[in-house]
Amino acid sequence: MSTIRIDGLHKSFGKLEVLRGIDLVVDPGQVVCVIGPSGSGKSTLLRCVNLLEEPDSGSIRVAGVEVTDPDCDIDAVRRGIGMVFQQFNLFGHLTVRENVTIAQRRVLKRSRAEADRIATVNLDRVGLADKAGSYPAQLSGGQQQRVAIARALAMDPQLMLFDEPTSALDPELVGEVLAVMRGLAAEGMTMLVVTHEMAFAREVASRVVFMDGGAIVEEGPPATVFGSPREERTREFLHRVLEPTRVSESEIGAHLTD
């Protein structure tokens, strides 16, 4: 059974059609990375999966449950989905431990002791067990995002959704978040990731999906999409986003040999 199955998904905001007939399958244990230019509908697609945005038409099934069915208990489905946003969305007045335990206690009705134990396990997974008593303002952006990941993992999700999880971070902090995500992929976590981190997508993804204009233009294994894309629009996008990296690397090499 697919973890996610999307068929004929359409979504508009007023007269702007943001998603135009999306079909997508994510199987258990897969890491599917969605890439594409700003405004292509990537984040809206992700937000439709757990109905943070209401689709106009089409169907979405998560772990066999049709979330677009009006009778669906969406809160029950969401309990099996972890979501990490661009912004960390931590409670500033709560400690790191309290941020990771609050949903466990209120939603899953775990005891304080059990929630604390699970928080410790998951903070350790993201390398922040020593920050349990700190407040978000005392942490770097990368540390705050890792707390947000630990908070999602503490709910024992079957599926993790990541919406540009590194876009709000300073460049030197990006690596620590991506390292945690690589670890989750290695553990077999099913992940749908909207990202502009092309090296991460190339290295970690089971499949890469390129979106433009609200549609999936191309999808396939990373080696195919990055190495020999079929569609001209994919080639144009990759040339534009990858070329600056190549130039900077060549310039660095030139300086080193001067």
Side-chain angles (χ1 to χ4, degrees):
M1 179 190 299
S2 305
T3 302
I4 304 174
R5 183 179 184 89
I6 301 172
D7 294 294
L9 181 63
H10 288 260
K11 174 65 181 178
S12 296
F13 295 104
K15 294 182 179 180
L16 178 62
E17 192 174 20
V18 179
L19 298 177
R20 301 187 291 114
I22 299 293
D23 298 321
L24 181 65
V25 173
V26 180
D27 288 327
Q30 285 192 330
V31 178
V32 175
C33 286
V34 184
I35 64 172
S38 297
S40 58
K42 307 184 300 295
S43 293
T44 300
L45 169 62
L46 205 69
R47 291 171 66 85
C48 283
V49 171
N50 59 1
L51 292 197
L52 291 177
E53 299 290 353
E54 189 85 27
D56 295 329
S57 62
S59 68
I60 302 171
R61 301 184 75 87
V62 176
V65 177
E66 186 174 349
V67 301
T68 42
D69 185 332
D71 295 326
C72 172
D73 182 352
I74 188 58
D75 290 333
V77 175
R78 284 175 178 153
R79 285 196 285 272
I81 302 174
M83 186 157 186
V84 178
F85 299 88
Q86 297 178 27
Q87 302 299 326
F88 322 124
N89 296 330
L90 300 178
F91 295 108
H93 65 292
L94 299 180
T95 65
V96 165
R97 179 185 290 107
E98 289 166 340
N99 267 281
V100 179
T101 59
I102 186 169
Q104 295 186 63
R105 296 175 61 198
R106 293 188 178 179
V107 177
L108 300 183
K109 308 302 182 186
R110 287 174 177 159
S111 68
R112 181 184 294 274
E114 178 71 355
D116 282 348
R117 183 188 68 78
I118 291 170
T120 299
V121 167
N122 285 289
L123 286 169
D124 188 56
R125 285 174 83 181
V126 302
L128 289 174
D130 60 327
K131 299 294 186 181
S134 301
Y135 288 87
Q138 298 172 307
L139 306 180
S140 70
Q143 290 172 328
Q144 290 186 60
Q145 191 63 294
R146 285 189 281 156
V147 172
I149 294 172
R151 176 179 59 188
L153 293 173
M155 303 297 283
D156 298 326
Q158 299 173 281
L159 165 68
M160 288 286 288
L161 307 177
F162 291 88
D163 185 8
E164 297 276 19
T166 61
S167 65
L169 301 179
D170 292 333
E172 66 269 23
L173 302 177
V174 168
E176 63 190 60
V177 173
L178 295 182
V180 170
M181 295 171 65
R182 285 188 183 93
L184 293 178
E187 292 172 12
M189 175 65 73
T190 307
M191 298 159 63
L192 181 58
V193 183
V194 170
T195 185
H196 60 274
E197 300 291 343
M198 298 299 142
F200 174 83
R202 192 196 302 251
E203 174 192 346
V204 178
S206 312
R207 292 197 343 272
V208 174
V209 174
F210 171 62
M211 287 184 65
D212 189 36
I216 293 177
V217 175
E218 184 164 353
E219 67 174 295
T224 301
V225 174
F226 285 105
S228 53
R230 298 185 309 272
E231 303 296 330
E232 177 61 26
R233 182 65 188 95
T234 314
R235 291 194 289 271
E236 291 172 357
F237 171 78
L238 291 174
H239 179 77
R240 191 170 71 249
V241 299
L242 297 177
E243 192 61 27
T245 303
R246 296 191 184 107
V247 170
S248 63
E249 287 173 348
S250 65
E251 288 174 346
I252 290 169
H255 284 302
L256 290 175
T257 55
D258 282 347

